[in-house]
Amino acid sequence: MGTSPYLPPPPPLRLPPTDPTRQTGKLPRDPAPPPTPSSASPREGIADADADAAMASTSSKHAKHRRIGEDEEEEEEEEEEEAEEELGRFDDFTIASSWERFISEIEAICRQWLADGPKILMQKGAETVPSFENLYMVKRELKHGKRVYCMEYHFRKSAKGKYSYWDDDTHSTQLSFGVDEFLIIAPLSASGVVLDDPESTKLLSSVAIALSNCGSNWPAFVPVHDPSRKAYIGIQNMGTVFTRRFEADRIGSQVPIRLMHLEGLHELFLSKFVLSSTDFPAKVKVNFSMKLTYRTPEHDYDHEETLDSEATESIPESEVASQPRKQWDDDCPWAEWYSAEDPVKGFELTTIWGEKMFEESFEMAEVENASSFDADSWLLQPVVSPYMVDDSIGKFVGFASQLHLLVNAFESSAEAQFLEDFVADNSGQDNSKSSVAVPPPSVIDRVMKDLFNDEVGNSNYVEAENKYGRALKGAPSDSLFAQFCLHALWFGNCNMRAIAVLWIDFVREIRWCWEESERLPRMKTTSSIDLSSCVIHQKLQMLAICIERKKSLNRKKDTDDAHKEKTSNSMAPDKIRKGSAGVVPSMMLINTFQEMHAPYTQDAPLMTEDMHEERLHAAEAFGNAVGLSGQLERDILSSDMSAFKAANPDAAFEDFIRWHSPGDWVSEDKSDGNPTWPPKGRLSQRMSEHGNMWRKIWNDAPALPVSEQKSLLDSVREGEKVVHYLETLRPQQLLEQMVCTAFKSSADILNKTTYGGFKLMKTKMDQLYATMVSTLRSLQGKSDTSDLAGDLKRLCQVFEHIEKLLIFAASVHRKLIDAPRLAQSIFTDYFNYYLPKMGTSLESICYEKEFTTKEKVGTLEREAVSSLFRPPTANQSWRKVLSMGNLLNGHEPIQREIVFSVLEKLSNGHYSSPTPLCTDEQIETHRMYICGTSNDLWIALSVTSWD
């Protein structure tokens, strides 16, 4: 084999001659020089040697007390040397040297591994090689002299046939040297390599002899030189016909220009075995395969915005520098509360050129200048941020991390009866600690301005589409209390003291709105209360309604007074129409030829959940639940009758029934639809019975418009009750509702994320809502705080996992929006990788496996993937000078891997055995693997020879 200035030649391996009479497994020593004439006879020499040996043994026993701590191997070798000198220079082949014993030990281990085979070795506890599903390893430690070595046997779990060079499940040693199973023997030292050339040669020879004795053709490798070089020497005995030798080394600085191009690498490969023009034909058929890996540059969103807008050219540099940096998630729903680190830092694109055959070096230049679109296959892998792998609590900052802090505050909420107790500056406590820190007043003012912003308007209550969302007893995510809870998550470090300070200021602003009759922002003004929400949200709904009713009643009173003054001069005083909301179409009063007017009526009295409970408890206490409900109905009915009488001064009881309860009026009018007078018909049997309650209420009801009636809902009283409830709310009651609302609102915000409709992601969001419903339901049952804390913290862990996945899904979708199939496949790969981490345990799961799955890029998807590689800027153009070719949109590969090989048939090889072999099997007689960049090149060479 030829030599090269770039790679050290493989060391010659000299095997000792085989002794056909050897039966003990020990190797003969080198012959010793003949004995001198003065030497004793062999028999005498042996006798003398035995005596001296006994003396030496006795002497050595006494010497142990004087030489404590010396190596036993050294003593054994000294005894052997003394025995040899006394034997009269005759070799005793029954005594094995330490090297022979070392070889014998290697042989015994290899024989055991061979006898067991992969299946039994796996049953005995063979280790999985990290990141390789089909590769296992067993290892044993050996001692030779003072050195301790470790021998590792790597084998495949199952034979896949001929595997591809570029299979992701291929070990670097398999890829570098074209082997399947292999041995590695190295010293147990800090470096893990053999630094001495004679030692490495001796070590490799020992393994080769042992494998030859076993009849094994396993390749064996020894790491040599400095560890940074990743250098190896190796050998493989292929029976009695041929031998393969291996070597690998690294060029770690200033790669020669010619080796930066395929043509030069091809010439380097040929130089390793073409020593002269007569050794091989003029044209050598060389098999070539190549794998190029590209890395997308970090996406600069500011630069993208600058390119899209020409107007920025006129902006001064000082103003540009003061503008906030654009983030990747600026338009994502969670961006209002936090900016998430992009979980997808970029992509690695692997392009593979399948095996092709070339005969001339200049053909390599054509391959180097070819477009990456000409590669046989493209594989894409996302570069995932470390925080997506490390699931330790506290590493990820998002809604989940803040919810965890809120749960901690919930645990401490039972320590005091009043919120003011947490705000009080206790002299015995250090309030400067982060656990009780409160932001400055300026931050509080900013939060209040955002919560009570007049420009926000009424809430539209855009509910989450999730079917489980309504089962969570919180508040809608865009309502006033929900916004308070979301602000509280990020207010300081969400400790109980900070929450108390924020709540007191929040209630102070609400009282101001009530006293000044100012509209509550972010609240509905319709006359209904959502009893499925939390009590605080219901109370705020009640307060908003009370404020609006108070204002509307004042407006109606002014309107009625003006109308009264206008009509007083044209009518008799007892016939003034009041509180009319308009004429009822096609209806006339029975007693007078007048159109019927519909009155303004009072709405049914509104009640929050706790008010309903109070009425129920009161009814149970007095034992008259039916009577209490009936009284409320009579009050409503009396109010409606009074308003109807005021709007229709000449109306009869039958007129009210025709308007209020048409089902109790039996019409006998057979007209064609035009109103007739007087209306023909009669009351129903229920309404015409003697002593009917409705007629009695009618007779007693005065003619009063709504503006003059006593309100069924006392707005002033109920509004004051709401404010009082908020001001006297106990800390634990507040935190219970905050926890439910914060979880629901956070999930609703995430649920608005656009992620391409990935089915697995939607399923996980459904599971999150279902888990929240089952966990948070116990908060409504007034369970003990200490019992709930553990469940809530586990819920935070589940929330964090799904929040991470959702952000990952959004990032992948945005980057591959023009390749939706590819985006969904990549998300599915990552989902399956992340799934084992998604437990409910509070403990951090140790999961060291890296995400290395690659997705195949379809032909029609290559254009979308190539758009990820934006052309380099002018400042980056200088790198083209040192380019290795095969650029993709101006970007060179971050790593180039190439395999050159020559295949020959055993029957007619150039170095074939004199005995013809009856086979047409082809083997790689010469092989070279190149891996690296323009600044770092690693080369592995394997050469087959017939010795």
Side-chain angles (χ1 to χ4, degrees):
M1 144 179 165
T3 60
S4 168
Y6 312 108
L7 295 174
L13 302 178
R14 298 184 177 86
L15 304 181
T18 305
D19 183 6
T21 63
R22 179 170 63 88
Q23 300 294 333
T24 64
K26 299 182 178 67
L27 296 176
R29 298 187 178 191
D30 294 334
T36 60
S38 60
S39 301
S41 64
R43 187 175 299 275
E44 293 173 350
I46 294 175
D48 294 340
D50 291 340
D52 292 344
M55 292 176 62
S57 176
T58 303
S59 175
S60 65
K61 289 181 181 179
H62 292 290
K64 286 182 179 178
H65 299 285
R66 301 189 306 269
R67 302 171 60 196
I68 295 176
E70 288 193 7
D71 190 90
E72 294 179 0
E73 187 68 24
E74 279 188 15
E75 295 177 2
E76 187 178 351
E77 291 180 359
E78 290 176 2
E79 292 173 5
E80 291 176 1
E81 291 175 0
E82 292 175 3
E84 288 177 1
E85 292 177 359
E86 296 299 328
L87 284 175
R89 298 184 183 277
F90 282 92
D91 288 332
D92 184 358
F93 293 108
T94 63
I95 301 176
S97 67
S98 61
W99 184 53
E100 290 172 322
R101 288 195 300 273
F102 182 57
I103 295 175
S104 179
E105 187 177 356
I106 295 175
E107 181 180 337
I109 296 172
C110 292
R111 285 183 184 275
Q112 184 64 52
W113 288 346
L114 281 168
D116 288 344
K119 186 175 181 180
I120 297 179
L121 288 176
M122 290 171 60
Q123 294 175 355
K124 288 184 176 180
E127 302 176 8
T128 305
V129 179
S131 302
F132 298 95
E133 297 180 357
N134 196 35
L135 192 63
Y136 286 76
M137 174 188 67
V138 289
K139 57 184 177 181
R140 290 281 295 275
E141 293 184 5
L142 306 97
K143 190 174 183 182
H144 177 49
K146 294 183 178 180
R147 301 298 297 270
V148 180
Y149 299 93
C150 180
M151 183 168 66
E152 299 177 353
Y153 168 48
H154 294 70
F155 61 93
R156 300 181 77 85
K157 174 182 176 182
S158 60
K160 292 184 178 179
K162 183 175 176 59
Y163 56 87
S164 170
Y165 291 147
W166 315 121
D167 189 354
D168 287 338
D169 203 30
T170 302
H171 191 270
S172 59
T173 303
Q174 296 171 323
L175 173 62
S176 302
F177 301 106
V179 297
D180 193 352
E181 50 189 359
F182 56 92
L183 287 175
I184 294 181
I185 186 166
L188 280 176
S189 62
S191 64
V193 299
V194 181
L195 301 176
D196 182 65
D197 287 342
E199 180 187 359
S200 63
T201 302
K202 182 179 179 181
L203 189 60
L204 189 60
S205 299
S206 302
V207 179
I209 294 169
L211 291 175
S212 179
N213 293 340
C214 295
S216 170
N217 62 350
W218 290 344
F221 300 92
V222 175
V224 294
H225 305 311
D226 185 82
S228 63
R229 291 170 62 175
K230 300 179 183 179
Y232 288 89
I233 59 172
I235 192 169
Q236 182 179 19
N237 298 321
M238 306 294 288
T240 60
V241 180
F242 56 90
T243 302
R244 296 178 73 185
R245 288 181 170 83
F246 309 97
E247 61 173 322
D249 207 345
R250 173 188 178 196
I251 306 174
S253 62
Q254 297 270 325
V255 176
I257 295 296
R258 71 184 189 91
L259 297 186
M260 292 171 58
H261 300 281
L262 295 181
E263 188 172 357
L265 293 172
H266 181 259
E267 292 174 353
L268 173 64
F269 175 61
L270 293 179
S271 71
K272 287 299 178 180
F273 58 92
V274 181
L275 301 180
S276 65
S277 60
T278 59
D279 287 342
F280 272 78
K283 295 182 178 181
V284 180
K285 294 182 178 180
V286 176
N287 292 301
F288 165 85
S289 183
M290 181 169 65
K291 173 182 175 182
L292 303 179
T293 303
Y294 301 87
R295 171 76 66 88
T296 58
E298 184 176 353
H299 201 90
D300 189 348
Y301 292 91
D302 288 331
H303 178 65
E304 176 186 5
E305 190 175 17
T306 301
L307 291 178
D308 294 340
S309 176
E310 297 179 358
T312 54
E313 296 180 0
S314 59
I315 300 178
E317 294 184 3
S318 58
E319 294 184 14
V320 173
S322 63
Q323 292 180 355
R325 177 177 173 82
K326 184 176 175 61
Q327 302 296 328
W328 76 275
D329 60 346
D330 279 351
D331 55 349
C332 291
W334 63 79
E336 181 182 355
W337 303 103
Y338 69 92
S339 179
E341 179 184 347
D342 196 341
V344 181
K345 294 298 184 183
F347 291 90
E348 283 191 359
L349 173 64
T350 302
T351 60
I352 297 177
W353 275 260
E355 195 167 287
K356 294 180 175 60
M357 186 176 291
F358 296 95
E359 296 183 354
E360 298 288 350
S361 293
F362 69 84
E363 294 177 295
M364 293 286 98
E366 298 179 2
V367 177
E368 185 172 321
N369 294 325
S371 170
S372 299
F373 283 84
D374 297 335
D376 295 312
S377 62
W378 280 24
L379 302 172
L380 193 65
Q381 175 190 352
V383 181
V384 182
S385 174
Y387 86 84
M388 292 295 294
V389 179
D390 186 358
D391 62 343
S392 301
I393 295 177
K395 297 289 185 182
F396 170 75
V397 177
F399 283 128
S401 63
Q402 305 311 113
L403 289 170
H404 192 272
L405 296 176
L406 182 63
V407 171
N408 291 339
F410 169 69
E411 285 187 277
S412 62
S413 63
E415 297 176 0
Q417 294 293 320
F418 304 100
L419 286 164
E420 288 77 7
D421 296 339
F422 291 101
V423 179
D425 187 8
N426 297 326
S427 58
Q429 296 182 355
D430 183 7
N431 292 329
S432 63
K433 294 181 179 179
S434 60
S435 59
V436 293
V438 177
S442 59
V443 178
I444 300 177
D445 292 342
R446 188 162 61 246
V447 172
M448 291 301 127
K449 287 180 180 178
D450 182 76
L451 286 173
F452 293 89
N453 186 1
D454 293 334
E455 298 178 359
V456 173
N458 295 337
S459 170
N460 294 321
Y461 293 166
V462 180
E463 294 288 347
E465 297 178 359
N466 192 279
K467 57 186 177 182
Y468 296 102
R470 295 291 296 175
L472 289 167
K473 204 165 182 63
S477 58
D478 55 352
S479 66
L480 183 58
F481 180 61
Q483 291 292 306
F484 168 83
C485 294
L486 291 171
H487 273 290
L489 289 178
W490 305 95
F491 185 70
N493 58 357
C494 194
N495 61 75
M496 190 60 228
R497 184 166 180 262
I499 292 173
V501 170
L502 192 64
W503 176 257
I504 291 172
D505 270 63
F506 176 72
V507 175
R508 187 180 296 121
E509 290 291 329
I510 288 177
R511 173 166 283 283
W512 182 88
C513 290
W514 164 244
E515 292 177 350
E516 299 296 327
S517 297
E518 290 291 334
R519 179 185 59 84
L520 278 183
R522 307 177 188 272
M523 297 302 300
K524 279 186 176 181
T525 56
T526 56
S527 56
S528 63
I529 292 180
D530 182 9
L531 296 180
S532 66
S533 61
C534 65
V535 175
I536 292 179
H537 178 68
Q538 295 178 37
K539 292 291 186 183
L540 292 175
Q541 280 187 306
M542 172 71 81
L543 186 63
I545 293 171
C546 288
I547 292 174
E548 292 300 320
R549 286 200 178 181
K550 186 168 62 171
K551 293 166 64 176
S552 63
L553 286 176
N554 291 335
R555 288 194 298 268
K556 286 182 181 178
K557 184 177 181 180
D558 294 340
T559 303
D560 289 343
D561 290 344
H563 181 70
K564 178 180 179 181
E565 182 178 348
K566 180 179 179 180
T567 59
S568 60
N569 297 326
S570 60
M571 300 184 68
D574 56 342
K575 298 296 184 180
I576 298 175
R577 190 186 307 277
K578 301 178 181 179
S580 172
V583 175
V584 180
S586 304
M587 293 191 73
M588 307 287 289
L589 298 179
I590 290 177
N591 295 331
T592 60
F593 188 74
Q594 296 178 7
E595 293 178 323
M596 183 183 294
H597 286 251
Y600 287 108
T601 60
Q602 296 193 55
D603 293 329
L606 299 176
M607 288 187 289
T608 58
E609 181 180 348
D610 61 330
M611 293 171 65
H612 280 285
E613 292 178 356
E614 288 175 4
R615 286 180 59 85
L616 181 60
H617 293 323
E620 291 176 351
F622 291 102
N624 188 16
V626 175
L628 189 65
S629 176
Q631 181 61 45
L632 177 63
E633 292 180 0
R634 283 194 295 272
D635 292 343
I636 297 174
L637 187 60
S638 176
S639 173
D640 291 347
M641 288 178 175
S642 294
F644 187 82
K645 283 184 175 182
N648 301 279
D650 296 322
F653 175 66
E654 288 77 6
D655 293 321
F656 177 77
I657 296 299
R658 291 167 56 210
W659 170 74
H660 190 277
S661 181
D664 286 313
W665 175 258
V666 182
S667 177
E668 297 176 354
D669 191 356
K670 299 180 179 180
S671 62
D672 57 357
N674 295 321
T676 59
W677 188 85
K680 297 179 181 180
R682 55 186 172 82
L683 293 173
S684 66
Q685 183 178 353
R686 180 172 76 100
M687 291 296 174
S688 59
E689 290 178 350
H690 178 72
N692 179 266
M693 182 61 67
W694 281 48
R695 184 178 290 276
K696 185 176 184 304
I697 296 174
W698 171 265
N699 294 334
D700 295 339
L704 292 174
V706 170
S707 59
E708 299 178 12
Q709 292 181 20
K710 180 181 179 181
S711 175
L712 296 174
L713 175 67
D714 190 335
S715 302
V716 176
R717 185 184 68 177
E718 294 300 330
E720 284 291 344
K721 287 172 62 177
V722 168
V723 176
H724 178 74
Y725 168 85
L726 298 176
E727 290 176 336
T728 59
L729 193 63
R730 296 176 63 180
Q732 187 170 344
Q733 293 176 324
L734 171 63
L735 266 295
E736 284 176 355
Q737 299 181 62
M738 284 185 65
V739 168
C740 288
T741 300
F743 270 102
K744 180 182 184 301
S745 299
S746 300
D748 287 347
I749 290 173
L750 294 178
N751 200 36
K752 298 174 185 176
T753 304
T754 302
Y755 52 81
F758 301 158
K759 293 182 179 179
L760 289 174
M761 190 67 251
K762 188 178 186 306
T763 301
K764 275 299 172 185
M765 285 301 298
D766 289 343
Q767 292 177 3
L768 175 61
Y769 275 97
T771 305
M772 288 194 300
V773 169
S774 61
T775 304
L776 299 176
R777 185 182 292 118
S778 55
L779 280 175
Q780 304 166 25
K782 307 297 185 292
S783 301
D784 188 14
T785 304
S786 59
D787 297 335
L788 296 173
D791 294 337
L792 292 175
K793 289 178 180 178
R794 280 185 285 272
L795 179 60
C796 291
Q797 190 72 15
V798 174
F799 198 104
E800 177 176 324
H801 290 312
I802 297 178
E803 186 175 10
K804 283 183 179 180
L805 278 178
L806 187 75
I807 296 174
F808 180 87
S811 179
V812 171
H813 168 68
R814 292 161 65 92
K815 292 176 173 63
L816 294 173
I817 194 169
D818 294 328
R821 183 212 63 87
L822 185 60
Q824 180 153 343
S825 298
I826 289 177
F827 175 76
T828 302
D829 291 338
Y830 185 80
F831 180 88
N832 294 330
Y833 156 82
Y834 195 83
L835 194 59
K837 299 163 66 69
M838 298 183 67
T840 57
S841 172
L842 290 177
E843 300 296 327
S844 176
I845 302 173
C846 182
Y847 194 65
E848 298 178 352
K849 182 179 178 182
E850 295 182 357
F851 178 65
T852 57
T853 307
K854 298 184 175 78
E855 264 301 322
K856 188 171 183 179
V857 181
T859 304
L860 299 179
E861 296 170 331
R862 292 189 178 186
E863 190 66 37
V865 171
S866 67
S867 65
L868 298 172
F869 296 84
R870 290 175 173 269
T873 62
N875 295 333
Q876 299 168 333
S877 300
W878 64 272
R879 295 187 59 83
K880 295 182 180 180
V881 178
L882 300 177
S883 171
M884 298 178 70
N886 296 114
L887 301 180
L888 177 61
N889 290 349
H891 297 275
E892 64 174 332
I894 61 169
Q895 181 168 282
R896 175 186 292 195
E897 298 175 79
I898 303 166
V899 171
F900 292 109
S901 63
V902 173
L903 299 178
E904 284 198 67
K905 294 182 180 179
L906 297 181
S907 58
N908 59 358
H910 183 73
Y911 298 107
S912 60
S913 172
T915 304
L917 299 175
C918 298
T919 178
D920 289 334
E921 181 184 356
Q922 286 188 329
I923 67 165
E924 288 183 333
T925 57
H926 298 79
R927 186 179 192 276
M928 187 168 72
Y929 168 78
I930 301 103
C931 173
T933 63
S934 58
N935 297 321
D936 192 353
L937 204 62
W938 193 80
I939 300 178
L941 184 67
S942 63
V943 176
T944 304
S945 62
W946 282 255
D947 296 330

